[in-house]
Amino acid sequence: MKQRNLIAILRGVTPDEAPSIGAALVDAGINVIEVPLNSPDPLASISSLAGQFGTQATIGAGTVLSAADVRAVAEAGGKLIVSPNADPDVVSETCRLGLESWPGVLTPTECFAALKAGATGLKVFPGFQMGLEGLKAVRAVLPTETRVYMVGGVGPDDFGAWRQAGADGFGIGSALYKPGRSALDVGEIAKEMVSAYDAAFA
């Protein structure tokens, strides 16, 4: 499967619906899936998704706030750790366990501190607050190899503009999935997002 820098954020997903939602996403071409830890029984969902789609997709957790959470996600089979903040303890534990580390950052200070701690890449959150001009300014001083994903207030209509400003990828939450949305609907929305991403990054 083609690798796209799109993270599906399934905040509120339940273990019962996770497999069908996961299948819809993978079928649509999104192969990075995050289950925030403030979802119902998130480790069960992560375990289920990792068991069924672990060879086709990168499965992990969001809203990871402690080193203990990192270990729990790893034990559940998760390979991806995403946080709303840049906690050095979380980043270092993630790296120690060989998982991908995507801490949330907003300022240049947070960006460089996260990279120094060993982050795989940066999750700019909330992306709309940094804005296109802010991203351009921060991008100018970051190491060129730094991967930057925008999360929060970003969507397919402006993927191209964000790419021009220096974004490498996106995390998409409620625009893609929210509790009560069927797997069929999630799959259709995911296909539209994949098409928009492919057009922006062609």
Side-chain angles (χ1 to χ4, degrees), residues 149-168:
Y149 283 27
M150 308 305 293
V151 181
V154 300
D157 291 343
D158 48 18
F159 281 170
W162 283 110
R163 185 198 179 188
Q164 290 291 321
D168 296 296

Side-chain angles (χ1 to χ4, degrees), residues 41-111:
D41 203 358
L43 296 175
S45 293
I46 291 167
S47 179
S48 175
L49 289 166
Q52 295 189 49
F53 307 108
T55 60
Q56 303 164 268
T58 300
I59 310 298
T63 319
V64 179
L65 303 178
S66 70
D69 285 343
V70 175
R71 292 189 290 273
V73 172
E75 289 171 7
K79 304 293 185 187
L80 174 79
I81 299 294
V82 184
S83 301
N85 62 329
D87 185 325
D89 292 340
V90 171
V91 175
S92 63
E93 185 67 0
T94 302
C95 294
R96 186 183 73 81
L97 294 174
L99 311 182
E100 288 192 31
S101 170
W102 291 85
V105 297
L106 189 59
T107 66
T109 297
E110 291 170 346
C111 290

Side-chain angles (χ1 to χ4, degrees), residues 18-45:
S20 61
I21 298 291
L25 292 169
V26 171
D27 288 346
I30 295 178
N31 58 359
V32 185
I33 301 172
E34 165 196 332
V35 178
L37 291 185
N38 55 3
S39 303
D41 203 358
L43 296 175
S45 293

